[in-house]
Amino acid sequence: MFAGGLILSATLIFFSVWLFRSEKIGWPDDAYDDPVDEEYLRRRSRSRRRVNALFFVCGLLVLGATLATPDRRVFWIGCWMSAMVVLCTIVALATLDVVRTMLHHRHRIDRMRMRRDGRE
């Protein structure tokens, strides 16, 4: 159990740092050159920074639960329950990010169609 907790916490912390770094340097094939995309990119990067921070916090919570001694059952339960709530929050925020991205791409495609048809 101890080794599994260390591996899980290290994985979550590494994953959060990797995501943060990847978001900073950009993703391959990420082409947003339209000025209208700036607002979407700003909101997306702020949202993803929050999710990365939550992954890091979850890794710290798992590490705390792993290092807790048997005498600290309340701390152990609190860490695992908090980690569960944080992971559920990450799923909810990821769902909102998917919806935001789908809506942005839909509007982007509509703008490209309007330009193609000469209506803009």
Side-chain angles (χ1 to χ4, degrees):
M1 186 75 175
F2 183 76
L6 288 178
I7 290 170
L8 180 61
S9 67
T11 301
L12 286 169
I13 291 170
F14 173 77
F15 186 64
S16 70
V17 170
W18 176 75
L19 281 175
F20 181 77
R21 184 184 162 281
S22 296
E23 191 66 32
K24 278 288 188 194
I25 63 173
W27 296 93
D29 302 324
D30 212 6
Y32 292 101
D33 50 1
D34 197 1
V36 182
D37 294 333
E38 289 177 20
E39 175 67 20
Y40 164 73
L41 290 174
R42 188 178 56 77
R43 292 175 73 197
R44 181 184 81 170
S45 110
R46 185 176 61 224
S47 171
R48 290 186 180 176
R49 265 194 316 268
R50 287 183 191 135
V51 169
N52 298 342
L54 287 174
F55 270 119
F56 191 80
V57 167
C58 188
L60 292 178
L61 288 168
V62 171
L63 182 64
T66 301
L67 297 177
T69 60
D71 299 335
R72 298 181 178 171
R73 274 190 216 131
V74 174
F75 180 74
W76 183 82
I77 291 171
C79 283
W80 279 115
M81 295 302 283
S82 298
M84 179 192 66
V85 169
V86 168
L87 288 174
C88 288
T89 304
I90 289 171
V91 169
L93 289 174
T95 303
L96 291 174
D97 187 44
V98 166
V99 170
R100 178 178 36 243
T101 301
M102 284 176 34
L103 290 174
H104 174 72
H105 283 292
R106 182 186 306 160
H107 292 302
R108 192 173 186 196
I109 289 170
D110 287 343
R111 284 193 313 267
M112 284 192 279
R113 285 182 183 149
M114 289 175 67
R115 282 188 200 136
R116 183 192 66 196
D117 296 340
R119 290 185 274 163
E120 188 175 302

